[in-house]
Amino acid sequence: MPERRTVALVTLGCARNEVDSEELAGRLEADGWLLVDDAADADVAVVNTCGFVEAAKKDSVDALLEANDLKGHGRTQAVVAVGCMAERYGKELQDALPEADAVLGFDDYANITDRLQTILSGGHHASHLPRDRRKLLPLTPVERQAAAAEVALPGHGAPEDLPEGVAPASGPRTLRKRLDDNPVASIKLASGCDRRCSFCAIPAFRGSFISRRPSDVLHEAQWLAEQGVSEVVLVSENNTSYGKDLGDIRLLETLLSEIAAVEGIKRVRVSYLQPAEMRPGLIDVMTGTPGVVPYFDLSFQHSAPAVLRRMRRFGNTEQFLELLGTIRGKAPEAGARSNFIVGFPGETEEDFAELERFITEAGLDAIGVFGYSDEDGTEAATYDGKLPEDVVADRLAKLSRLAEELTAQRAEQRIGSEVEVLVESVEDGVVEGRAAHQAPETDGLTTLLGADDAKVGEFYRARVVGTEGVDLVAEALSGALGAGE
């Protein structure tokens, strides 16, 4: 029997990319590939790139170059770029980075095995020419589902997409292979975005918004539970739009309750929420449904009306504070986070001061701050009123310091409160996990005391006794919680 080809998936960027990598892994394993963790042990290293901002693109290029350095020193024979940066730039990336043996777009994912075998055999696969993926689906949302089968939608794998000849799995079937044993996993609710924020290039290379079928999402949650996952995070470019192309903009409210009822799933978390699209019924479900954590990842971006208008967004400081007040009126311990852009073209000192006022009053648990930079193909790149780099840098540093101080104060306010901690790491006697208001990788950790026998994946009730910046220190109140607690 010939030795199986080996492949390693290196993933950069957001949780959506992680889902895409696990779908690619599912396709490759079904086609007979052996998945390995280390690129040095793989015949081919597949780098799932991020193409969102300059720093992320640089990280992707560095990862490709690092994988290329393995060639000639071990097993690695080829390095292939996939993901958002590959989709966004295609042949341009291939020309600029000849170290990559191929640059594959989303349309190549369904035939990933054929592509990799061609490359390993010394053949050449032409890099794709980027196109505006918003034009691949009908303009009217309710007409998109019928056309979706003809468009590549990474992370939307359904049972009927499993390669021919693959035996049915027992229980739920999904086109996905877990690449780690973390008790937390993301599920894609949708792909693409219909919003036209002037600073964002994502819709052009991810396409128009299209929801996954609720049954596919639910089956994937059931499958993940069978794999030992106890917390699922629902991701997309805009979760608040889920269902609009299925004829029911309130479909998320129903689906949340159904996922929370899946045996083995103890937490359901929703990310990527648009403030302008939040509705009372969704807030009620997110704050009042057992198993759904009251966690609000709200994409504010700014709070000065003039800046928001130039960003092609909506709202102002008072409206945003009112939204947060409504949420906390229903769930006082609710977690809230957001990202902000400073130095946007035309941002005045008064606009920046308004943003400072907002985050000072908002009481957010986590704040991401980014300095504006032009992104290829965006409307904002054509704007006048660009601020000098030193002004952007100064505002970035100032708001970052304020954000660090405010989020640390918010953490201190939780001292004395009870939290439920999901254990994610036990190492050298140190037990770390996350409380309900802490999302994976972005919002801090909780160090759990008095749980010497803790195991990864267990839940503990604990009382917060201290903080370290945004991180909490909590004392376990009892042993691990049982399945029904």
Side-chain angles (χ1 to χ4, degrees):
M1 179 180 294
E3 186 178 7
R4 291 170 69 187
R5 294 283 202 180
T6 58
V7 58
L9 285 152
V10 180
T11 306
L12 296 99
C14 65
R16 289 161 289 180
N17 255 16
E18 294 172 3
V19 175
D20 294 351
S21 285
E22 293 198 347
E23 183 182 293
L24 284 172
R27 292 183 183 278
L28 289 164
E29 184 177 69
D31 284 339
W33 290 77
L34 178 63
L35 295 158
V36 297
D37 295 331
D38 193 337
D41 298 326
D43 294 314
V44 57
V46 177
V47 180
N48 192 348
T49 61
C50 179
F52 183 39
V53 294
E54 283 304 317
K57 287 183 277 190
K58 181 181 183 303
D59 288 344
S60 295
V61 170
D62 289 345
L64 287 163
L65 293 174
E66 183 178 343
N68 181 71
D69 289 342
L70 297 172
K71 291 191 293 187
H73 299 287
R75 180 161 184 158
T76 308
Q77 302 171 48
V79 176
V80 173
V82 299
C84 290
M85 189 177 181
E87 174 64 37
R88 184 176 181 184
Y89 294 104
K91 187 176 184 301
E92 181 183 345
L93 176 61
Q94 179 75 86
D95 292 343
L97 197 70
E99 291 85 353
D101 296 282
V103 175
L104 305 181
F106 297 151
D107 293 335
D108 292 304
Y109 283 20
N111 300 301
I112 187 67
T113 284
D114 291 342
R115 303 291 186 261
L116 298 189
Q117 286 177 340
T118 296
I119 295 159
L120 286 175
S121 300
H124 174 71
H125 181 74
S127 299
H128 79 107
L129 297 175
R131 53 182 172 167
D132 188 341
R133 297 190 71 87
R134 290 171 294 191
K135 298 178 180 179
L136 301 182
L137 290 167
L139 182 64
T140 304
V142 294
E143 297 177 355
R144 291 177 189 163
Q145 289 290 323
E150 307 302 319
V151 178
L153 297 168
H156 283 228
E160 58 264 30
D161 298 324
L162 285 166
E164 187 176 352
V166 176
S170 60
R173 303 172 71 209
T174 189
L175 185 57
R176 183 169 178 174
K177 164 72 175 177
R178 299 237 46 214
L179 294 174
D180 58 40
D181 56 1
N182 195 304
V184 184
S186 297
I187 299 177
K188 269 197 178 179
L189 272 185
S191 286
C193 186
D194 288 342
R195 301 184 72 87
R196 293 294 179 264
C197 301
S198 62
F199 55 83
C200 184
I202 289 176
F205 59 84
R206 277 290 184 179
S208 297
F209 184 90
I210 185 161
S211 304
R212 290 181 72 192
R213 293 174 300 190
S215 59
D216 290 342
V217 176
L218 191 59
H219 288 158
E220 190 161 332
Q222 292 168 344
W223 180 82
L224 287 168
E226 290 183 352
Q227 311 303 307
V229 169
S230 53
E231 177 179 328
V232 294
V233 184
L234 304 181
V235 300
S236 74
E237 278 72 24
N238 177 10
N239 280 336
T240 34
S241 282
Y242 179 73
K244 72 175 186 179
D245 52 321
L246 295 169
D248 185 358
I249 191 61
R250 294 175 176 80
L251 195 56
L252 180 56
E253 285 90 313
T254 303
L255 184 59
L256 282 173
S257 300
E258 293 175 340
I259 296 174
V262 171
E263 184 177 357
I265 300 299
K266 292 203 64 177
R267 269 188 194 166
V268 182
R269 186 182 303 275
V270 187
S271 59
Y272 305 109
L273 300 167
Q274 286 291 339
E277 296 181 28
M278 290 300 294
R279 47 195 179 269
L282 180 56
I283 295 173
D284 287 343
V285 170
M286 291 180 63
T287 56
T289 305
V292 177
V293 295
Y295 172 81
F296 292 80
D297 176 13
L298 295 159
S299 178
F300 291 123
Q301 301 298 345
H302 212 284
S303 72
V307 176
L308 287 168
R309 283 195 296 271
R310 285 173 68 86
M311 288 180 168
R312 295 198 178 278
R313 296 177 67 84
F314 307 94
N316 57 48
T317 296
E318 303 309 326
Q319 290 174 354
F320 293 163
L321 291 175
E322 182 180 358
L323 172 60
L324 290 167
T326 298
I327 291 167
R328 288 176 179 138
K330 296 176 180 295
E333 298 299 321
R337 79 168 325 274
S338 193
N339 294 323
F340 300 92
I341 298 172
V342 298
F344 194 78
E347 181 189 65
T348 65
E349 292 184 3
E350 291 76 16
D351 293 330
F352 182 69
E354 182 69 2
L355 177 56
E356 289 181 300
R357 180 172 80 87
F358 171 64
I359 72 166
T360 299
E361 297 182 24
L364 299 172
D365 294 278
I367 299 172
V369 184
F370 301 88
Y372 173 81
S373 62
D374 286 339
E375 277 295 312
D376 299 334
T378 62
E379 181 183 353
T382 69
Y383 283 177
D384 57 10
K386 300 284 176 59
L387 302 183
E389 289 185 5
D390 60 334
V391 173
V392 176
D394 286 346
R395 292 182 182 178
L396 174 62
K398 186 177 181 182
L399 199 70
S400 295
R401 288 194 299 270
L402 179 60
E404 184 176 354
E405 177 184 340
L406 291 170
T407 53
Q409 290 176 3
R410 175 65 176 158
E412 289 176 357
Q413 292 171 3
R414 294 188 181 275
I415 293 177
S417 65
E418 278 193 27
V419 292
E420 190 172 281
V421 180
L422 169 58
V423 176
E424 292 186 316
S425 171
V426 180
E427 189 172 344
D428 297 328
V430 178
V431 180
E432 291 185 333
R434 290 178 299 103
H437 71 281
Q438 297 171 317
E441 299 183 6
T442 59
D443 299 350
L445 296 168
T446 297
T447 299
L448 187 62
L449 307 178
D452 298 336
D453 298 327
K455 296 179 177 61
V456 171
E458 292 180 332
F459 285 83
Y460 283 79
R461 286 200 184 93
R463 189 175 305 282
V464 180
V465 296
T467 64
E468 296 177 6
V470 297
D471 296 332
L472 304 182
V473 179
E475 183 81 38
L477 296 176
S478 62
L481 299 177
E485 294 181 77

